[in-house]
Amino acid sequence: MVVVKSNNYKFITAKPFAPNLGAEIYGVDLSIPVPDEQFVEVQQAFLDYQVLFFKDQNVIPPEQHVLFGKRFGPLHAHPAAPTMKGQPEIFEIHATKDSKIANGEFWHSDVSCDEEPPLGTMLQIQIAPPCGGDTMFSNMYMAYDNLSKPLKSLVEGLTALHSSEHIYKGRYSDRGKSDQEIHCPEAVHPVVRTHPKTGRKALFINRTFTTRINELSESESDSVLEMLFKHAEHLDYQIRFRWSLNDMAFWDNRCCMHRAIWDYWPEERKGRRVTIKGERPV
Ligand code: SIN
């Protein structure tokens, strides 16, 4: 395979995935500690491309996955999802022929219902179906930038409620997590947030968790949210990633949404996910 070196990184290779979003990262072995000079460039690439796909990986030992996540900040504890045995910081994504649901089937930014939603998520897929099981990502900077001026001024003054009871209640009961053990947070966030590192504005609503715009009547809120969901899910902002075994994706929840496609039933798909704590959106 010809790898195009597309930029000024010296210690990693970042190959843009598509003009609108994402980069494939080569030359970084995540199964061992990442040297500082590579880590600095990975941090920069994360801000430049919003979603990184680390290619040619081995299975990342759970301890190593956790340590790599912690280099970006303290880890986020999921309020409801089952964790890996002996590794409470790892959320196992798992869909089989017996699953009632697969994780992340509708557009969302991870756990946006938290007061301080996760900054980023690192998912390695370790059992992949023979085909299918892609993940889609959508660029929320572009979604904001492409709003017309009148809509920009409307949404910039708005806040929205992000709820989770309708998502998490009963969701993981077949994976050993009863409703008594889980927590269903809700939080109010601005509809447009400013990324703390890049200073860019991004639309911050999603079909999974965002249930109400506070400053509007219920019917206005329903209509405006539906319009914003459709806008944010426009094909122009999207990419669709086809996983190879052991690829690891690392996405920025502050400026992207994603959606996992469950088109592979009855085949199995399994992965490990580490999530990094974020700050309150402003
Ligand atoms: C998720 O974390 O939302 C699931 C992503 C995936 O399984 O591809």
Side-chain angles (χ1 to χ4, degrees):
M1 187 206 331
V2 179
V3 176
V4 181
K5 195 152 188 171
S6 58
N7 42 43
N8 292 326
Y9 302 114
K10 287 202 188 76
F11 301 101
I12 65 172
T13 297
K15 181 182 172 198
F17 185 82
N20 58 354
L21 189 61
E24 291 181 341
I25 303 296
Y26 295 87
V28 181
D29 182 354
L30 296 175
S31 67
I32 55 175
V34 174
D36 287 345
E37 59 271 22
Q38 282 197 323
F39 180 71
V40 168
E41 294 194 349
V42 167
Q43 279 181 306
Q44 187 57 47
F46 185 58
L47 299 178
D48 290 345
Y49 292 103
Q50 305 165 243
V51 193
L52 304 181
F53 304 111
F54 292 89
K55 303 294 293 179
D56 304 334
Q57 297 298 316
N58 300 308
V59 171
I60 304 170
E63 304 73 23
Q64 200 51 51
H65 197 156
V66 167
L67 282 176
F68 186 57
K70 282 185 174 165
R71 288 178 81 174
F72 289 84
L75 298 187
H76 175 268
H78 197 286
T83 56
M84 190 180 166
K85 205 164 172 224
Q87 293 289 344
E89 288 153 316
I90 295 187
F91 167 11
E92 276 188 319
I93 305 275
H94 197 192
T96 68
K97 66 175 178 16
D98 300 318
S99 298
K100 288 191 296 189
I101 49 122
N103 210 67
E105 274 189 274
F106 299 95
W107 283 108
H108 64 287
S109 169
D110 285 323
V111 202
S112 69
C113 51
D114 255 4
E115 292 281 344
E116 295 179 330
L119 157 176
T121 305
M122 298 172 165
L123 173 66
Q124 182 175 50
I125 291 296
Q126 295 172 343
I127 298 178
C131 64
D134 298 352
T135 306
M136 300 170 74
F137 296 88
S138 184
N139 184 334
M140 293 295 99
Y141 290 142
M142 284 182 81
Y144 169 77
D145 289 343
N146 286 342
L147 285 172
S148 62
K149 261 193 173 167
L151 271 178
K152 271 189 185 140
S153 46
L154 170 71
V155 294
E156 280 191 16
L158 300 177
T159 61
L161 179 67
H162 294 238
S163 321
S164 61
E165 203 171 295
H166 61 293
I167 300 297
Y168 294 148
K169 232 175 161 189
R171 186 178 187 86
Y172 298 109
S173 55
D174 62 339
R175 295 190 56 199
K177 276 273 201 166
S178 72
D179 285 348
Q180 286 68 47
E181 293 169 277
I182 67 166
H183 172 52
C184 298
E186 59 175 33
V188 170
H189 299 307
V191 168
V192 178
R193 71 182 293 184
T194 302
H195 194 290
K197 289 281 174 9
T198 65
R200 291 184 67 187
K201 288 182 178 176
L203 206 53
F204 194 63
I205 44 92
N206 64 79
R207 201 176 276 287
T208 298
F209 295 111
T210 317
T211 49
R212 179 69 201 262
I213 297 186
N214 294 310
E215 294 77 9
L216 305 181
S217 70
E218 195 174 338
S219 72
E220 286 173 339
S221 166
D222 289 348
S223 307
V224 171
L225 274 179
E226 189 53 36
M227 183 268 294
L228 291 176
F229 293 151
K230 280 197 180 132
H231 173 78
E233 293 162 8
H234 195 284
L235 273 178
D236 287 357
Y237 318 141
Q238 287 179 27
I239 56 171
R240 181 169 175 140
F241 179 64
R242 176 158 296 179
W243 297 82
S244 297
L245 205 61
N246 297 329
D247 283 346
M248 183 157 95
F250 178 27
W251 58 86
D252 190 332
N253 286 299
R254 301 165 293 188
C255 53
C256 305
M257 294 196 296
H258 60 283
R259 174 181 175 177
I261 310 293
W262 192 19
D263 55 358
Y264 48 88
W265 187 91
E267 299 294 340
E268 184 180 12
R269 181 175 181 272
K270 189 171 186 180
R272 291 183 194 150
R273 186 179 119 160
V274 162
T275 307
I276 302 134
K277 205 164 171 289
E279 52 288 284
R280 179 180 264 281
V282 288

